[in-house]
Amino acid sequence: NLKLLQEITLSFARTNVVDAGALAIGTGLQNLGQLHKICLAFYCRGIGDDSAVAIGVNLQNLKLLQELRLAFHCTNVGDAGAVAIGNSL
């Protein structure tokens, strides 16, 4: 149980992580309401808008969040994912 977790850093480089994995991460954020700092970095071509939307939607639940770092390098995240994240802030 990670409900009291305050900081999380995840980096996926040269992995086979695809939307299903990143979706699970995004959905899991809703259970981490005590987070103050999030650093997520994806360097995987399998990541797309669905993942970014899931992350963005669940960022809304993190009322104590003070620092957010997201990186989507060499992914398929486009406008829809970026808009979802932007709208959640």
Side-chain angles (χ1 to χ4, degrees):
N1 193 336
L2 301 174
K3 290 186 179 188
L4 299 179
L5 188 68
Q6 294 185 354
E7 182 176 325
I8 189 167
T9 299
L10 298 172
S11 180
F12 300 95
R14 295 185 183 136
T15 65
N16 291 325
V17 173
V18 294
D19 272 335
L23 276 167
I25 292 167
T27 302
L29 290 176
Q30 67 185 341
N31 299 320
L32 303 175
Q34 298 295 315
L35 278 178
H36 293 267
K37 180 179 179 180
I38 299 175
C39 299
L40 295 175
F42 296 97
Y43 303 87
C44 320
R45 295 204 182 278
I47 305 298
D49 283 333
D50 290 344
S51 303
V53 168
I55 291 168
V57 166
N58 287 296
L59 285 175
Q60 296 174 4
N61 300 323
L62 303 176
K63 305 298 183 200
L64 301 176
L65 190 63
Q66 296 174 358
E67 185 176 338
L68 173 65
R69 295 180 187 185
L70 297 174
F72 295 97
H73 298 283
C74 300
T75 65
N76 292 316
V77 174
D79 290 344
V83 167
I85 291 171
N87 286 341
S88 70
L89 302 177

